[in-house]
């Protein structure tokens, strides 16, 4: 593995990196709260201010940025100069939503705020498929004032705003989400359980339903105290998931074996994406220290719909 190279610092809890064709990286700053373009020389440009808590981002079929906004699900907390996501502050919470940002004007529009009359709680991460739709996770909501834990799940929605439906429910703190190279499997990470889960995709927005005794839906369970954040899939089908507490990126094969662990030195390593001409440059967000770093990855990343293809 190559050494980590700092691309930018001073970011307010960066997440959701998108490696753009021009060499820049677009990401969200959850405690900005904003959508930011980081240029190759490390300079930062605000694309749009996004009230709430922008948590994940992807480039859509129309060239616009699609944002998972957790609505302010977390409160910025400083601990010895490091930034951590603290518990909900109810007065700051505006409700979860999926938004679209025009890269030219910075205009932000709500695309979805509910599904079948039930409000979205804290959308976290998303991935587009080849059919003009996207899967996204809703991280759920813990309200300590009311002492409730509202579970949420995984949804599938059309980029044109025409439809949204529930795909998997309930889920326990679903976070990162991705697709296999052939588009036949859906992967997602459960933060607090430390598990990578999978389901077969049988049609756009429709997945298989395993029996209660079917253990194959768990691709990999991490031992000890290892929490999971967002993920990306590489060209070999490995799931590269940002791992919290031990701070790094864990690589799990499609067969459910831990291939390697890449330490980053940041307790809350939140996301990874792939860019460069050969998709072998990994961009990683280090959120407690507010940095975007890059390194040469041993394998090319997976080409994403509407971005790398």
């Amino acid at each position: 593995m190559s050494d980590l190279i700092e691309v930018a610092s001073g970011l307010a809890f960066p997440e959701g990196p998108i490696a753009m064709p021009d060499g820049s990286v677009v990401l969200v700053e959850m405690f900005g709260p904003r959508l930011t373009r980081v240029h190759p020389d490390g300079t930062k440009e605000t694309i749009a201010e996004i009230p709430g808590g922008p948590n994940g981002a992807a480039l859509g079929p129309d060239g616009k940025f699609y944002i998972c906004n957790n609505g302010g699900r977390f409160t910025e907390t400083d601990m010895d100069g490091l930034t951590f996501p603290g518990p909900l502050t109810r007065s700051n919470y505006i409700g979860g939503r999926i938004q679209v940002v025009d890269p030219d004007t910075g205009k932000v529009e709500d695309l979805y705020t509910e599904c079948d009359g039930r409000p979205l709680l804290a959308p976290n991460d998303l991935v587009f498929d080849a059919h003009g739709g996207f899967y996204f996770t809703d991280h759920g909501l813990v309200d300590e004032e009311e002492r409730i834990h509202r579970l949420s799940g995984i949804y599938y929605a059309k980029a044109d705003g025409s439809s949204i439906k529930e795909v998997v429910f309930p889920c326990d703190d679903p976070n990162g989400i991705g697709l296999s190279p052939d588009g036949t499997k859906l992967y997602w990470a459960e933060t607090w359980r430390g598990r990578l889960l999978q389901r077969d995709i049988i049609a756009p927005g429709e997945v298989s339903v395993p029996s209660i005794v079917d253990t194959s839906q768990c691709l990999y369970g991490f031992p000890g105290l290892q929490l999971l954040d967002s993920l990306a899939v590489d060209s070999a089908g490995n799931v590269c998931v940002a791992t919290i507490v031990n701070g790094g990126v864990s690589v799990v094969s499609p067969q459910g074996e831990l291939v390697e662990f890449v330490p980053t030195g940041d307790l809350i390593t939140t996301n990874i994406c792939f860019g460069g001409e050969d998709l072998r440059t990994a961009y990683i967000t280090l959120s407690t220290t507010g940095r975007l770093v890059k390194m040469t990855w041993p394998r090319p990343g997976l080409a994403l719909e509407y971005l790398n293809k």
Side-chain angles (χ1 to χ4, degrees), residues 284-297:
I284 304 171
T285 48
L286 309 183
S287 295
T288 67
T289 54
R291 295 182 294 152
L292 174 69
V293 299
K294 67 178 181 180
M295 64 179 294
T296 300
W297 204 250

Side-chain angles (χ1 to χ4, degrees), residues 26 40 47 70 89 100 124 171 202 219 234 294:
V26 172
I47 298 173
N70 65 40
T89 299
V100 182
N124 188 285
C171 290
I202 56 181
L219 178 66
D234 70 20
K294 67 178 181 180

Side-chain angles (χ1 to χ4, degrees), residues 183-221:
T184 63
K185 283 190 181 295
L186 179 71
Y187 299 113
W188 72 93
E190 288 187 334
T191 297
W192 289 99
R193 289 183 180 269
R195 301 189 303 183
L196 280 175
L197 301 182
Q198 61 180 351
R199 293 279 182 93
D200 291 329
I201 297 174
I202 56 181
E206 186 176 348
V207 300
S208 60
V209 180
S211 67
I212 296 177
V213 297
D214 183 4
T215 60
S216 65
Q217 66 176 317
C218 181
L219 178 66
Y220 188 78

Side-chain angles (χ1 to χ4, degrees), residues 52-108:
N55 211 154
L59 189 69
D62 53 3
K64 296 181 180 180
F65 295 109
Y66 286 70
I67 308 297
C68 282
N69 190 331
N70 65 40
R73 161 71 174 79
F74 302 101
T75 300
E76 183 176 6
T77 304
D78 181 89
M79 295 177 62
D80 296 327
L82 301 177
T83 301
F84 290 85
L88 172 73
T89 299
R90 174 165 284 280
S91 60
N92 295 336
Y93 179 65
I94 64 172
R97 58 203 62 215
I98 300 295
Q99 296 172 304
V100 182
V101 179
D102 187 315
D104 297 320
T105 65
K107 182 180 180 180
V108 182

